[in-house]
Amino acid sequence: MFRWSINRFCAGEEKRVGTRTVFVGHRPVSETDAYVEQKFCDNRIVSSKYTVWNFLPKNLFEQFRRIANFYFLIIFLVQVIVDTPTSPVTSGLPLFFVIIVTAIKQGYEDWLRHRADKEVNKSSVFIVENAKQVKKHSEKIKVGDIVEVKADETFPCDLIFLASSNDDGICYVTTASLDGESNFKTHYAVRDTTGLQTDDDIDSLTATIECEQPQPDLYKFVGRINIYRSNQEPVARSLGPENLLLKGSTLKNTKKIYGVAVYTGMETKMALNYQGKSQKRSAVEKSINAFLVVYLCILVSKATVCTTLKYIWQSNPFNDEPWYNQKTIKERETFKILRMFTDFLSFMVLFNFIIPVSMYVTVEMQKFLGSFFIAWDKEMYDEEIKEGALVNTSDLNEELGQCREELFLRALCLCHTVQIKGGDNVDGLRVNQECWTYISSSPDEIALVKGAKKYGFTFLGHEADYMKVQNQKNEIEKYQLLHVLNFDPVRRRMSVIVKTSTGKFLLFCKGADSSIFPRVQQDEIQQTKVHVERNAMDGYRTLCVAFKELTQEDYKKINDQLSEAKMALQDREEKMARIFDDTEADMHLIGATAVEDRLQEHAAETIEALQTAGMKVWVLTGDKMETAKSTCYASRLFQTNTELLELTTKTMGDSDRKEERLHELLLEYHKKLLQDFPKNSGKLKRSWTVSQEYGLIIDGSTLSLILNPSQDSSSSNYKSIFLQICLKCTSVLCCRMAPLQKAQIVRMVKNTKGNPITLSIGDGANDVSMILEAHVGIGIKGKEGRQAARNSDYAVPKFKHLRKLLLAHGHLYYVRIAHLVQYFFYKNLCFILPQFLYQFFCGFSQQPLYDAAYLTMYNICFTSLPILAYSLLEQHINIETLTSDPRLYMKISDNAMLQWKPFLYWTFLGSFEGLVFFFGVYFLFQNSSLEHNGKVFGNWTFGTIVFTVLVFTVTLKLALDTRFWTWMNHFVIWGSLAFYVFFSFFWGGIIWPFLKQQRMYFVFAHMVTSVSTWLAIVLLIFISLSPEILLVVFKNAKRKNHQTVPFNLPMLLSYKRMENGYTSEMKLQDAVTNLTQRCHLRIPQMQQL
């Protein structure tokens, strides 16, 4: 029972070990066998968090896990239980307001998830039952059901592809909603079921599917299908990822398909990939927590001081028991320690408003509403893709081709996964080639096929198991496609095995030079290697192409091995990898290709601006070192005077002493950089006056040595020295990086001393790991797919939009929220300090200075809207200036506005003003008569005058800080003051029947009749604001005397390869085009075999 409970509520890996058997169409394999329906989960998708029944307890539990909410809950309970000087309403109402607003927001968001779930679960699908189509809701699909899906429909669950409307058993899908890739992907049905293209045919299928239990890897699937025919032996076929149609994918360019459900509901791969991202906390939030601890200490100190002084004062019997208010026997007999503790709690309650609970709501509203300004920015809208910037996480707003010609070209037409969409099919041949569209999961493959077409070899598509190619003589060549050895990032190559019309077996292979050169005849490499390196230096993405001819025996052996490995349910990938490795050996090099990967417009200017803003730019790429280096020069990441320090395979030399050589280089570079940049030089910023700049280049294999040195290595501090070198370099280039290594680099920098804020920018699926690892992740909406954009915190259409996003929006949001945080602590200190001082004049009796209504509404109504408007609209420097002068960004770097120095200044300001409020009014009350009729004011009038000066001073302080006035600022600032006056008249002008004491009746109206009171209020406001007024006057005078020197960035140039190095010859705008337009095939002179 206990084990069942654990498995039921803690769905771990144990639940998914082993395999499952699925009966296709719920039919037993033998008529004599009874079919027992298996127990699998239904097809309901549940992404919602709450239900009607658990919303209240679950939401409350989650909210009170926040320290601030839990603290105010304790204060509220103390007020209810203990006899405290203030009503429980004063802390309960603000707390309940925060809880209710947050609950409404979270409830609404979950309602949207419920609505989305219902839309999916109630969508119509067609199930084949008894050779008829039955319409059902998607949630009614069971494992084993045969489902029909038509063109442009989304697969309702994970299906094994059985047959399609195409005779070749092929279908095309897009998986944008799963991995963000918008390119077409090709899926195949096993050849034994491709002819089952009608309801009657598919219903006659008797088969079982054995496959692994559900697991979240989108690109992994292991299984086999056993097909049973009467009076025949069962036929077993292997199943892999190419046979699995994932829920969430969309059928394209195919009229319809049949598939059998194998994973449903929350066991589909899409559902298993529903996992929350790691919570990212901004530097501002960390500062808030630190400041909160300080103010909590202040609160405890005040309560302790008052409690102590109370008992010291009461040690005098006369003070403790005046004749008119002597203690009762019960009071005298009460345990003294308990009385002291309850008094301490009472003082905590009295001063608890120094902790700004409403600040959390205001910060959340500022982040949520402020994110719309990024999405609404028209300058960040791209007309090409018809999309603008996207904010996924508002919580971080403050942070943002050689060789024999025919054989080469035939290889390009055969070694790929490209499919053809469009065109007319006449007698099995496609005509009207102008209407063709090549579709593939890789834009590079499309570029290579198009390049081969320009040289007279045209890929005509697939016909059954054959690939058709039109040669330069307009003859149609047919090649039987026997096997595809798919690309994977470990091998870094892909191959096809084909059979020619003459009966020859050929293997064509293409991949990275590092993976091809060791597998070909070494005497064939040198000339091609020269071209590869030259093209890489010019910034092209290079691939090498090789082939070998197989004998009949060779092919039979390979085919048998592949067939056996494909049928394995355990360790299938490892077995396939070993066969691929043996097959792709002893090949002959054909040549190399080069595809241009161009920079986006204004990419160089954007990188230049980011460096000028003080950001250290690192490039993490999987490209060859030469290609990446050329791109860095073109984008001015490296300057002509930059000295490059290399830690690559080339510089490591002999493999027997790699670690020794690495240690030597690290010490050499470290010494060089320490001599040029001594410790007292401070942080290195990009400067145009620096005579020497350094750039570091490291590749993936060397990085592995640094991060994972051998156990017997004499040096255990590789990582530390490497990091010091990186921090001294202006720019760092990391090439040949795997996705995991990119994330490791980001994590290493994050954990550096000082905890620098990291920003990762990427446009492909291989960038997701570093985007998720960084403090802030930004995705570029490119042709590499949308996975990067969907996993990022922010997404922009083009790289150039980073400039405004970071230098303008990022700058302003930081300034706004930093001011908001400091202002909240300041105004609450001004609020509570007079209350603390008042205790010295009331015998520490816990008498409140302010009325309960003022205590309740101060943070909710009287002072909340002006700071919210400021935090959304303020522009202390206009956007154009921020964008054009990147140096301004450095003024707010390193969380400058939320350091201890400005925090102490705001604290001093709040303390000064609190003292002025209290003692100013105190001296005013030294006059025995403040009215013409000789009457004197009471303690509630005293508190109301202090509160009036307080509200006007903190509001006018914000007005002095405002540099960008809009009608909204005027409305909320002057409106808040007017509302306070109106409320005071209203609150004190009516006898409220629900109040036991009418202590504020007519107090405010009576107070404003005194001229002395008016003069005192105006004078005290002026005195309180005098430091700020003097500071503004001083800054304006200093600004006028400061001679502004215009800042112009040097002309940005593109660099091309010359014999004498990199020479600046052309302007960037004449040389750069869109990064994603990868449709240029460069084929240098052919090598004759």
Side-chain angles (χ1 to χ4, degrees):
M1 183 65 183
F2 176 75
R3 184 180 181 85
W4 177 87
S5 300
I6 292 295
N7 290 336
R8 171 67 178 84
F9 295 105
C10 303
E13 290 299 322
E14 182 183 354
K15 186 179 178 180
R16 295 176 187 155
V17 171
T19 62
R20 63 168 54 181
T21 301
V22 178
F23 291 84
V24 177
H26 306 287
R27 283 185 294 275
V29 297
S30 173
E31 294 181 358
T32 59
D33 295 338
Y35 173 70
V36 179
E37 185 176 357
Q38 296 173 287
K39 298 295 183 181
F40 299 111
C41 73
D42 56 31
N43 200 41
R44 286 180 299 170
I45 287 294
V46 181
S47 63
S48 56
K49 193 174 184 179
Y50 308 107
T51 65
V52 175
W53 309 109
N54 71 8
F55 173 75
L56 190 60
K58 191 173 182 179
N59 185 264
L60 289 176
F61 173 75
E62 291 174 350
Q63 290 204 56
F64 285 117
R65 290 173 64 185
R66 296 184 68 170
I67 296 177
N69 289 348
F70 184 73
Y71 164 77
F72 277 94
L73 177 63
I74 296 299
I75 293 295
F76 172 73
L77 294 177
V78 168
Q79 288 179 291
V80 172
I81 299 171
V82 180
D83 184 15
T84 57
T86 57
S87 168
V89 176
T90 58
S91 60
L93 189 59
L95 174 63
F96 295 152
F97 173 77
V98 171
I99 297 298
I100 290 172
V101 169
T102 306
I104 291 174
K105 173 180 174 289
Q106 294 179 349
Y108 174 72
E109 291 174 346
D110 201 63
W111 175 78
L112 294 178
R113 289 190 285 267
H114 271 284
R115 190 173 66 175
D117 289 346
K118 185 177 180 181
E119 184 178 350
V120 173
N121 293 331
K122 297 298 182 181
S123 61
S124 298
V125 295
F126 290 93
I127 312 296
V128 178
E129 294 181 356
N130 300 320
K132 295 181 180 179
Q133 290 192 11
V134 179
K135 187 176 181 180
K136 292 184 177 180
H137 288 151
S138 175
E139 64 183 3
K140 299 297 183 181
I141 295 178
K142 299 178 181 179
V143 172
D145 282 347
I146 299 176
V147 183
E148 181 188 87
V149 181
K150 297 182 179 179
D152 299 320
E153 291 182 352
T154 301
F155 300 119
C157 58
D158 290 352
L159 305 170
I160 291 297
F161 181 24
L162 297 177
S164 73
S165 55
N166 300 327
D167 295 336
D168 51 9
I170 291 177
C171 74
Y172 310 102
V173 303
T174 58
T175 58
S177 63
L178 293 173
D179 57 11
E181 303 295 340
S182 57
N183 299 306
F184 283 26
K185 295 179 175 60
T186 308
H187 288 260
Y188 307 88
V190 294
R191 60 177 180 267
D192 303 84
T193 62
T194 55
L196 307 177
Q197 299 180 346
T198 65
D199 295 342
D200 290 330
D201 293 338
I202 201 70
D203 191 61
S204 66
L205 175 65
T206 301
T208 60
I209 295 174
E210 297 174 79
C211 60
E212 60 186 1
Q213 291 288 6
Q215 52 97 0
D217 193 333
L218 296 176
Y219 310 104
K220 180 182 177 182
F221 176 75
V222 177
R224 61 173 170 245
I225 183 171
N226 303 298
I227 303 172
Y228 300 86
R229 299 185 178 94
S230 57
N231 302 322
Q232 294 184 17
E233 287 294 322
V235 176
R237 303 294 183 199
S238 65
L239 299 173
E242 69 278 5
N243 308 114
L244 183 66
L245 304 174
L246 299 177
K247 177 182 176 65
S249 304
T250 303
L251 184 65
K252 293 289 185 181
N253 203 35
T254 309
K255 291 182 180 179
K256 69 174 183 179
I257 65 98
Y258 290 107
V260 57
V262 288
Y263 305 131
T264 54
M266 301 308 293
E267 292 184 341
T268 61
K269 291 184 178 289
M270 183 178 78
L272 293 176
N273 275 276
Y274 282 152
Q275 56 183 357
K277 303 176 185 176
S278 59
Q279 183 66 33
K280 297 184 178 182
R281 297 173 58 203
S282 68
V284 170
E285 185 177 350
K286 295 175 183 177
S287 297
I288 291 175
N289 292 338
F291 299 161
L292 195 61
V293 171
V294 172
Y295 270 67
L296 190 58
C297 292
I298 294 175
L299 170 61
V300 174
S301 300
K302 285 182 177 181
T304 304
V305 168
C306 287
T307 304
T308 304
L309 292 178
K310 175 180 179 178
Y311 282 89
I312 293 175
W313 187 80
Q314 289 183 348
S315 63
N316 186 328
F318 178 78
N319 293 336
D320 191 30
E321 296 185 55
W323 62 270
Y324 57 85
N325 189 25
Q326 293 187 359
K327 288 185 177 181
T328 64
I329 298 176
K330 181 180 179 181
E331 289 176 326
R332 291 193 185 97
E333 293 177 353
T334 302
F335 188 56
K336 194 171 183 178
I337 299 297
L338 180 60
R339 286 166 47 206
M340 293 178 65
F341 178 68
T342 56
D343 285 334
F344 174 79
L345 291 179
S346 297
F347 281 117
M348 287 283 288
V349 170
L350 189 63
F351 303 143
N352 82 87
F353 289 93
I354 196 173
I355 306 297
V357 63
S358 60
M359 178 182 66
Y360 289 93
V361 175
T362 309
V363 168
E364 292 295 329
M365 293 176 66
Q366 189 270 347
K367 290 180 176 182
F368 175 71
L369 297 175
S371 63
F372 287 102
F373 289 93
I374 297 176
W376 291 338
D377 194 327
K378 293 182 179 180
E379 293 183 10
M380 296 172 68
Y381 182 83
D382 186 67
E383 291 290 344
E384 182 181 347
I385 64 174
K386 304 296 181 184
E387 290 184 23
L390 175 66
V391 179
N392 294 324
T393 307
S394 63
D395 290 342
L396 302 169
N397 288 345
E398 66 275 6
E399 293 283 317
L400 321 194
Q402 291 179 19
C403 22
R404 190 154 173 209
E405 182 176 346
E406 292 186 1
L407 183 63
F408 178 76
L409 296 175
R410 282 189 176 90
L412 295 183
C413 289
L414 296 172
C415 189
H416 58 74
T417 58
V418 175
Q419 303 292 332
I420 294 177
K421 176 183 178 182
D424 299 323
N425 199 314
V426 178
D427 294 331
L429 297 177
R430 292 183 182 270
V431 297
N432 193 11
Q433 296 184 10
E434 292 76 10
C435 299
W436 289 5
T437 299
Y438 289 117
I439 54 179
S440 174
S441 59
S442 169
D444 282 5
E445 284 199 329
I446 297 176
L448 295 176
V449 171
K450 286 183 177 180
K453 182 178 179 181
K454 288 184 179 181
Y455 287 87
F457 280 77
T458 305
F459 173 60
L460 300 178
H462 292 264
E463 181 181 316
D465 293 334
Y466 290 85
M467 301 176 74
K468 295 182 295 182
V469 176
Q470 185 179 39
N471 61 26
Q472 294 172 331
K473 300 177 182 179
N474 291 329
E475 298 171 343
I476 305 299
E477 301 177 359
K478 285 189 175 183
Y479 298 84
Q480 184 179 4
L481 180 61
L482 300 174
H483 290 287
V484 177
L485 313 187
N486 289 314
F487 174 88
D488 66 66
V490 177
R491 289 166 50 240
R492 297 178 64 84
R493 60 187 181 270
M494 68 90 62
S495 301
V496 294
I497 301 177
V498 297
K499 183 179 181 181
T500 67
S501 56
T502 59
K504 290 184 178 180
F505 294 91
L506 298 175
L507 178 140
F508 290 106
C509 179
K510 73 171 187 285
D513 58 314
S514 59
S515 67
I516 297 294
F517 285 167
R519 300 180 169 275
V520 300
Q521 307 302 317
Q522 295 303 300
D523 57 347
E524 301 172 350
I525 295 176
Q526 190 56 40
Q527 187 173 353
T528 302
K529 186 176 182 180
V530 172
H531 290 293
V532 169
E533 292 179 350
R534 181 192 302 166
N535 291 330
M537 290 293 292
D538 289 341
Y540 293 91
R541 295 161 60 92
T542 59
L543 286 175
C544 292
V545 185
F547 89 105
K548 78 172 180 179
E549 185 173 343
L550 304 172
T551 64
Q552 178 76 35
E553 292 74 17
D554 291 337
Y555 171 71
K556 185 177 184 303
K557 179 181 177 181
I558 295 171
N559 182 60
D560 292 342
Q561 290 176 338
L562 288 173
S563 299
E564 181 181 351
K566 289 180 179 179
M567 295 301 296
L569 294 181
Q570 302 293 332
D571 303 326
R572 179 185 292 184
E573 289 79 8
E574 291 79 1
K575 294 176 181 178
M576 297 285 286
R578 287 194 292 268
I579 298 170
F580 290 173
D581 192 62
D582 294 338
T583 302
E584 297 167 331
D586 300 324
M587 299 183 292
H588 295 278
L589 185 63
I590 304 177
T593 66
V595 178
E596 186 171 6
D597 198 355
R598 295 183 176 180
L599 291 174
Q600 284 189 3
E601 56 179 336
H602 303 302
E605 291 97 326
T606 301
I607 292 176
E608 196 77 57
L610 297 183
Q611 287 187 315
T612 306
M615 301 182 197
K616 191 176 292 293
V617 181
W618 293 36
V619 175
L620 312 181
T621 179
D623 288 343
K624 288 170 58 67
M625 183 188 76
E626 293 79 6
T627 304
K629 187 194 296 185
S630 178
T631 304
C632 287
Y633 275 108
S635 61
R636 287 189 66 83
L637 190 65
F638 292 158
Q639 305 291 318
T640 52
N641 66 331
T642 302
E643 181 177 345
L644 299 180
L645 311 177
E646 292 188 13
L647 290 171
T648 63
T649 305
K650 290 182 180 179
T651 58
M652 289 299 101
D654 188 77
S655 60
D656 294 334
R657 53 184 302 270
K658 278 188 176 180
E659 291 201 0
E660 294 179 20
R661 178 59 178 161
L662 174 61
H663 184 63
E664 293 171 1
L665 287 173
L666 286 172
L667 292 179
E668 176 187 339
Y669 295 161
H670 187 258
K671 183 178 179 181
K672 178 193 291 286
L673 290 168
L674 286 182
Q675 288 175 348
D676 284 8
F677 302 101
K679 292 183 178 179
N680 59 1
S681 63
K683 294 184 179 179
L684 176 64
K685 302 288 186 180
R686 185 59 169 269
S687 171
W688 302 109
T689 61
V690 174
S691 59
Q692 182 61 61
E693 293 182 351
Y694 290 93
L696 179 68
I697 301 177
I698 186 171
D699 59 14
S701 59
T702 309
L703 180 66
S704 296
L705 288 176
I706 293 175
L707 298 180
N708 305 295
S710 61
Q711 295 295 329
D712 58 345
S713 174
S714 60
S715 300
S716 59
N717 59 343
Y718 284 170
K719 186 175 178 180
S720 175
I721 300 176
F722 169 69
L723 197 52
Q724 292 179 43
I725 294 173
C726 290
L727 296 177
K728 292 293 184 180
C729 290
T730 309
S731 303
V732 179
L733 167 61
C734 304
C735 52
R736 292 299 199 188
M737 290 284 127
L740 183 59
Q741 288 181 312
K742 295 180 181 181
Q744 289 175 329
I745 287 283
V746 175
R747 189 181 305 115
M748 180 181 68
V749 176
K750 280 174 62 178
N751 297 329
T752 305
K753 183 179 179 181
N755 302 113
I757 302 299
T758 56
L759 166 68
S760 291
I761 305 163
D763 66 346
N766 58 336
D767 299 320
V768 169
S769 58
M770 71 172 185
I771 286 176
L772 293 176
E773 182 64 41
H775 290 97
V776 182
I778 298 180
I780 309 293
K781 300 177 181 179
K783 289 187 178 179
E784 292 290 330
R786 296 298 174 87
Q787 189 170 359
R790 294 186 182 190
N791 286 275
S792 62
D793 302 303
Y794 305 88
V796 292
K798 294 289 179 62
F799 186 84
K800 66 179 181 180
H801 296 135
L802 286 172
R803 181 169 188 160
K804 187 173 185 181
L805 179 65
L806 296 174
L807 302 185
H809 288 292
H811 186 122
L812 290 175
Y813 280 123
Y814 174 79
V815 170
R816 293 165 181 169
I817 199 168
H819 199 285
L820 182 152
V821 171
Q822 300 280 28
Y823 179 80
F824 255 97
F825 283 107
Y826 148 81
K827 72 183 183 73
N828 277 35
L829 181 58
C830 293
F831 181 38
I832 290 303
L833 184 57
Q835 176 73 79
F836 172 70
L837 297 172
Y838 186 61
Q839 296 306 303
F840 289 84
F841 298 89
C842 68
F844 304 99
S845 62
Q846 302 160 6
Q847 168 68 32
L849 177 62
Y850 312 117
D851 180 64
Y854 289 157
L855 286 171
T856 304
M857 300 188 67
Y858 175 73
N859 280 315
I860 296 179
C861 300
F862 298 149
T863 61
S864 58
L865 290 181
I867 185 58
L868 178 60
Y870 177 96
S871 65
L872 291 173
L873 304 172
E874 174 62 10
Q875 294 181 26
H876 64 297
I877 303 176
N878 66 68
I879 292 179
E880 291 74 18
T881 303
L882 288 173
T883 307
S884 61
D885 189 352
R887 295 176 304 175
L888 295 170
Y889 191 86
M890 288 190 285
K891 293 184 178 181
I892 63 162
S893 61
D894 300 322
N895 200 18
M897 295 181 65
L898 287 173
Q899 296 295 334
W900 291 109
K901 185 176 180 180
F903 173 72
L904 292 175
Y905 167 77
W906 282 87
T907 302
F908 165 77
L909 193 63
S911 301
F912 169 76
E913 293 179 3
L915 289 169
V916 171
F917 300 159
F918 182 80
F919 287 108
V921 179
Y922 176 78
F923 288 125
L924 174 65
F925 270 63
Q926 296 307 300
N927 187 351
S928 59
S929 177
L930 292 177
E931 298 185 71
H932 65 278
N933 59 3
K935 290 183 178 180
V936 295
F937 287 154
N939 63 317
W940 293 113
T941 305
F942 180 90
T944 303
I945 297 175
V946 173
F947 192 80
T948 303
V949 177
L950 164 69
V951 171
F952 274 79
T953 301
V954 297
T955 305
L956 293 176
K957 163 72 171 79
L958 192 63
L960 286 174
D961 292 340
T962 302
R963 300 289 180 269
F964 186 74
W965 285 90
T966 66
W967 68 266
M968 182 66 73
N969 297 91
H970 285 288
F971 176 78
V972 296
I973 287 178
W974 315 124
S976 293
L977 294 177
F979 175 75
Y980 165 69
V981 174
F982 168 78
F983 175 82
S984 297
F985 276 113
F986 179 72
W987 180 247
I990 299 175
I991 297 178
W992 300 97
F994 56 85
L995 295 179
K996 296 181 179 179
Q997 299 174 348
Q998 305 295 328
R999 56 195 182 192
M1000 293 301 294
Y1001 180 68
F1002 224 64
V1003 168
F1004 190 82
H1006 195 196
M1007 178 193 77
V1008 296
T1009 60
S1010 172
V1011 176
S1012 300
T1013 303
W1014 277 101
L1015 292 175
I1017 290 174
V1018 173
L1019 181 61
L1020 291 176
I1021 293 174
F1022 178 78
I1023 295 174
S1024 301
L1025 294 176
S1026 57
E1028 284 294 299
I1029 297 173
L1030 292 175
L1031 186 61
V1032 171
V1033 172
F1034 175 75
K1035 285 183 177 180
N1036 289 336
K1038 184 178 180 181
R1039 188 179 296 114
K1040 290 180 180 179
N1041 294 331
H1042 179 69
Q1043 184 178 358
T1044 303
V1045 179
F1047 175 75
N1048 295 315
L1049 289 175
M1051 182 186 300
L1052 298 177
L1053 304 175
S1054 178
Y1055 290 80
K1056 67 176 185 179
R1057 176 71 172 170
M1058 302 295 288
E1059 290 183 358
N1060 59 347
Y1062 287 93
T1063 306
S1064 56
E1065 282 203 352
M1066 62 184 79
K1067 291 186 177 180
L1068 180 69
Q1069 55 264 34
D1070 298 328
V1072 300
T1073 54
N1074 194 305
L1075 169 69
T1076 58
Q1077 294 176 346
R1078 299 176 178 171
C1079 56
H1080 297 277
L1081 173 69
R1082 182 178 180 184
I1083 305 179
Q1085 68 179 64
M1086 301 300 173
Q1087 173 185 355
Q1088 299 298 324
L1089 294 178

